[in-house]
Amino acid sequence: MSLEIRILPDYDAVSAMAATELETMLAQKPDAVIGFATGETPRGMYRELVRRQPNCRQMRTFNLDEYLGLPPDHPGSYARYMHEALFDHINVQPEHVHLMRGDASDPSAECKAYEQAIADAGGIDLQVLGIGRNGHIGFNEPGDEWTEGVHIVTLAESTRIANAPAFGGNPDDVPAQAMTLGIRNIVQARRIVLLATGATKADILAQALTGPVTPHVPASILQEHPSVLILADAAAGQHLGGNAGHGR
Ligand code: PGA
């Protein structure tokens, strides 16, 4: 097992190192399959990649999750987020980008097709993750089954509150359900880099990395993965000092 924790001075340092992780992967394997995450945390990583312009011509991409019911051009959709933050500004080929259709007429079939597309691509080489304040990864909320593949979830109220700013501030306007890669898909990624920044993540990050491995803290599964890099800024890593920099 290898869980490496790097505590870096600030958000920009986390973003820069995350961008380097992706560049390193693409240097080793130009057609690597990358699992991307959304949320506020990885925005700096994406800005940095846009600035650096690594060659992404052969890169293939999947995303962690999407709100159910939202068309790809909806301002709150993760499809739109990814295009605006990254895909429209790098040389990734459109046919290599795989995004779930939130407005699919048959969401269960959409989940199955996405699962199959990941398998057909040979699995995920590098999965980028954020962590929810409740410990979720993707939209795998506390208590959800860990055996699931791509599936439909009902969002925790705390998640709808946390994500309300992208929907004008009202949690009721955040879709109640989403599609997400399951924990099974996430842990099948050959390498995982999890980004955590800001003091609001400090407690949950410490619980996830040093507490019991339990579905009540979905990110705690990462303790059992063979190749994980945690990039935290000083605020998010404030309870992790003793582990910083050590593999385990
Ligand atoms: P955030 O979201 O990056 O906006 O904090 C993380 C998450 O919910 O996974």
Side-chain angles (χ1 to χ4, degrees), residues 38-42 129-133 136-139 159 162-163 201:
T38 47
E40 289 313 303
T41 313
L129 293 178
I131 180 170
R133 277 169 259 183
H136 74 198
I137 46 177
F139 274 138
T159 295
N163 292 2
K201 302 289 173 68

Side-chain angles (χ1 to χ4, degrees), residues 14-71:
V14 168
S15 302
M17 190 157 291
T20 298
E21 234 340 90
L22 181 59
E23 283 184 324
T24 303
M25 174 58 74
L26 290 176
Q28 289 165 1
K29 187 175 179 187
D31 65 345
V33 177
I34 310 297
F36 283 110
T38 47
E40 289 313 303
T41 313
R43 282 188 187 278
M45 172 190 182
Y46 300 153
R47 273 197 296 272
E48 187 61 16
L49 287 169
V50 171
R51 194 181 70 75
R52 295 186 195 180
Q53 290 292 311
N55 188 358
C56 299
R57 188 166 294 282
Q58 295 184 62
M59 176 177 82
R60 294 166 292 158
T61 82
F62 289 86
N63 258 74
L64 269 178
D65 44 22
E66 181 59 282
Y67 291 110
L68 209 65
L70 299 193

Side-chain angles (χ1 to χ4, degrees), residues 168-201:
N170 184 352
D172 292 339
D173 292 334
V174 178
Q177 290 186 302
M179 292 181 265
T180 185
L181 264 65
I183 295 288
R184 180 161 58 75
N185 307 109
I186 292 172
V187 299
Q188 281 172 355
R190 287 180 268 278
R191 179 153 173 84
I192 293 174
V193 55
L194 180 141
L195 317 182
T197 57
T200 58
K201 302 289 173 68

Side-chain angles (χ1 to χ4, degrees), residues 67-117:
Y67 291 110
L68 209 65
L70 299 193
D73 59 350
H74 188 285
S77 83
Y78 288 149
R80 176 134 169 206
Y81 168 117
M82 285 309 301
H83 278 286
E84 291 183 347
L86 186 63
F87 295 153
D88 291 354
H89 311 290
I90 58 174
N91 70 342
V92 66
Q93 300 301 295
E95 65 271 25
H96 291 168
V97 169
H98 300 273
L99 292 160
M100 297 174 204
R101 285 288 304 220
D103 61 349
S105 57
D106 183 345
S108 296
E110 178 73 3
C111 290
K112 281 205 184 74
Y114 207 70
E115 176 103 30
Q116 188 60 48

